[in-house]
Amino acid sequence: MSLQELDTAGIRSIVGLSPSDLERRKKFITASDLPAVFGLDTYRDPVSVWLDKMGMLAPEESTDAAHIGLAVELGVLRMIEAAVGRPIDETQPWRAKGRVGATPDALMSLSGPTAVLNAKTSGRVDDWESGPPARVIVQATCEMYVSDAEYAYIGALLGGFGPLKFRAWKLDRDDKTAQDLAEVAEAWYEKHVARGIKPDGAASLDTVKRIIRTANKVVTVEDGKVRHWLD
């Protein structure tokens, strides 16, 4: 009997959104941007979001974890579907209202009230002990807002060093919370993207490494930022 471990580099051929989809998202504050804007994202910060919207970041280097997440997403959606007892009607639809946009993992709409589906995989089991983390709640609320959905179904495949677990939750839409998030997103876009004003704080080291260096580039700075140097 012979056993040979295979080269798994081929999983990097598994891709998610297309380059055109990613480019379109720069014109919106998306459901995945909002948690970072609020400081709830472990991997992104407000400055990273701003640099991305301004077209100043090189594409993020892909990781095996990201490709694995994409590969198992469909399975997680099928488990949510089984738990809810309703069929999925559409996967990865783009929805937008104003400058708020989102690509829910899936939609249920034909056999009852519209619901968005949010499929997650995580090795951080403790983060999910009391339910979905705040960043996921914000993301799902944004997805409900742009999709006119009444519910969000959140499913998570969790695996630490023990057996795999699947957990799922139903999140009811709260109109006031959804509207508040939308207003923050619209105001943030207007101030920081439309007007080009960098948010407070510093970019992470990983973000700094991705900044595109452009020779002889001129950046306009508000007078108020430099007035004391000119007087």
Side-chain angles (χ1 to χ4, degrees):
M1 181 174 67
S2 175
L3 178 66
Q4 179 182 2
E5 184 171 359
L6 300 178
D7 181 356
T8 59
I11 67 170
R12 301 210 168 200
S13 64
I14 301 170
V15 296
L17 298 176
S18 68
S20 61
D21 289 332
L22 295 173
E23 189 63 28
R24 174 180 56 189
R25 290 166 66 87
K26 291 181 180 179
K27 299 179 176 64
F28 298 86
I29 300 300
T30 69
S32 56
D33 294 328
L34 268 178
V37 167
F38 285 115
L40 299 173
D41 194 317
T42 305
Y43 303 102
R44 298 174 74 211
D45 50 65
V47 176
S48 301
V49 174
W50 180 74
L51 289 168
D52 182 45
K53 302 301 176 187
M54 300 302 289
M56 297 170 65
L57 289 185
E60 191 170 8
E61 185 177 345
S62 62
T63 65
D64 284 353
H67 291 287
I68 291 170
L70 288 169
V72 302
E73 181 178 289
L74 182 59
V76 176
L77 288 175
R78 294 308 177 204
M79 287 189 280
I80 299 173
E81 192 178 40
V84 173
R86 288 178 58 190
I88 290 172
D89 301 306
E90 192 175 2
T91 57
Q92 292 197 324
W94 169 255
R95 297 289 187 270
K97 284 186 178 182
R99 286 296 179 180
V100 185
T103 307
D105 293 328
L107 279 181
M108 292 174 170
S109 57
L110 299 181
S111 57
T114 300
V116 297
L117 276 67
N118 198 302
K120 301 293 186 186
T121 58
S122 178
R124 300 172 179 264
V125 179
D126 291 346
D127 289 354
W128 296 79
E129 189 62 36
S130 300
R135 66 180 183 277
V136 178
I137 298 295
V138 169
Q139 182 178 356
T141 299
C142 182
E143 291 171 352
M144 284 189 282
Y145 171 76
V146 296
S147 304
D148 293 322
E150 295 186 29
Y151 314 112
Y153 293 113
I154 303 168
L157 181 64
L158 306 174
F161 293 99
L164 289 174
K165 297 179 181 179
F166 173 70
R167 299 182 65 187
W169 300 264
K170 176 186 175 185
L171 176 66
D172 293 327
R173 173 177 174 142
D174 182 283
D175 286 333
K176 184 178 185 308
T177 300
Q179 189 60 45
D180 287 346
L181 291 178
E183 289 176 2
V184 169
E186 294 279 0
W188 200 92
Y189 185 96
E190 177 61 29
K191 177 179 180 180
H192 298 296
V193 182
R195 295 172 61 192
I197 300 174
K198 176 181 170 294
D200 293 335
S204 67
L205 179 58
D206 287 341
T207 297
V208 170
K209 292 177 180 178
R210 292 174 54 208
I211 293 176
I212 299 172
R213 310 296 177 184
T214 304
N216 301 318
K217 182 172 181 179
V218 177
V219 178
T220 301
V221 180
E222 286 185 301
D223 287 347
K225 300 287 187 181
V226 296
R227 176 60 56 191
H228 63 287
W229 295 105
L230 301 176
D231 293 338

